Amino acid sequence: FVCIIELVVLALLKARLQELEGLPVDTDQSLATSSTRPADTTAPPANPAYLGPTEDYGQEYIDKIIFVGDSTTYHLLSTGVLNGGRDTKQVWVPIAEEGGNKLPTLSLDIDTVKQQITHPRTGEKMTIPEAAAVEKPEYMVITLGINNGVPCLGEDEFKRCYRKLLDAIISASPDTKIILQSIFPVTSKCSQEKPSITNEKIDRANVWVADLASEYKEYGVRYLDTNSILKDETGCLNPVYTDDRDGIHLNKAGYEAVLRFIRTHGYPES
């Protein structure tokens, strides 16, 4: 009790001194914080795996990239924004069968590493790590997590599934420079209609993706925060970047914005 009285008196004395010196006084705040340690105002260290702004690396850089992911990656092909248009060889997305329909997508789960693609250059069925062993791409951009990851997985399982794929790709093609791209935001309407996929959950999952890039930095893995440039002022997917009814997939303008961001946040040359 005596200690509490002393703390209150000290807080009041501090407030009185601030008043005499002409400083703004918030007595309630002074009392509330007087018994706690000072707030740490030191900014957290920057993630060394983040890709920051660079000069424009140009189309030549984009042409060296293999894009791996779910349907948000597949539409790089369907919108024709890459070299070769709809016949581009740069997009690796498995084709899943569901209800008689072919769905180009990739879910994040423990068996992601086993999913097969049709290798664009050989026409053979193989897993993504097997394709990496054949192709030995210079760069690979992986965009993964909107399917199953965001709506279903906690941090530990999310990272465990992602690690299994990364380990296999790195083992198959150790010189490939891997870029983990952030999961894209969704529209406000999508968040309302699909509470399992909200921008809050996507932002949380993107922290995990960035953590993985930092964890694998010694293997050349980096993180690209494309999510931020696709958002509007409310923090949702900007409507100008989508005409998709589900509010998840980008239109041509959206993918062009993504490619510009990739070019101007290039992988370090040294």
Side-chain angles (χ1 to χ4, degrees), residues 198-239:
T198 65
N199 286 300
E200 181 180 10
K201 291 182 177 180
I202 290 171
D203 289 344
R204 179 185 62 186
N206 280 332
V207 172
W208 304 340
V209 177
D211 287 346
L212 285 164
S214 180
E215 181 182 327
Y216 281 81
K217 186 176 182 294
E218 64 180 291
Y219 298 101
V221 178
R222 297 292 183 272
Y223 176 72
L224 187 69
D225 181 25
T226 310
N227 177 287
S228 59
I229 60 104
L230 294 173
K231 290 181 176 180
D232 61 15
E233 64 279 0
T234 69
C236 299
L237 177 59
N238 194 321

Side-chain angles (χ1 to χ4, degrees), residues 49-148:
Y50 270 68
L51 290 178
T54 63
E55 62 179 309
D56 191 333
Y57 279 29
Q59 186 62 40
E60 182 181 357
Y61 176 65
I62 296 295
D63 292 344
K64 295 176 181 178
I65 299 173
I66 292 297
F67 295 88
V68 174
D70 48 45
S71 57
T72 62
T73 292
Y74 172 79
H75 288 297
L76 282 164
L77 187 155
S78 66
T79 53
V81 293
L82 294 173
N83 190 15
R86 291 175 179 267
D87 295 321
T88 183
K89 311 298 184 190
Q90 294 177 246
V91 176
W92 294 359
V93 177
I95 305 297
E97 296 281 350
E98 186 174 304
N101 296 318
K102 292 185 176 182
L103 303 176
T105 193
L106 184 65
S107 292
L108 180 63
D109 57 47
I110 203 63
D111 291 324
T112 299
V113 70
K114 299 178 182 178
Q115 295 297 308
Q116 290 189 323
I117 64 167
T118 300
H119 192 280
R121 300 189 195 281
T122 69
E124 298 176 80
K125 289 279 190 180
M126 59 184 71
T127 66
I128 291 167
E130 288 170 345
V134 171
E135 185 97 357
K136 302 292 185 184
E138 185 170 352
Y139 301 97
M140 179 181 288
V141 170
I142 302 176
T143 313
L144 197 57
I146 194 69
N147 292 334
N148 197 61

Side-chain angles (χ1 to χ4, degrees), residues 11 20 93 99 127 151 157 160 174 195 204 224 226 245 258 262-263:
L20 291 172
V93 177
T127 66
E157 189 65 11
R160 185 168 80 96
R204 179 185 62 186
L224 187 69
T226 310
R245 286 177 295 179
V258 167
I262 292 173
R263 288 201 324 260

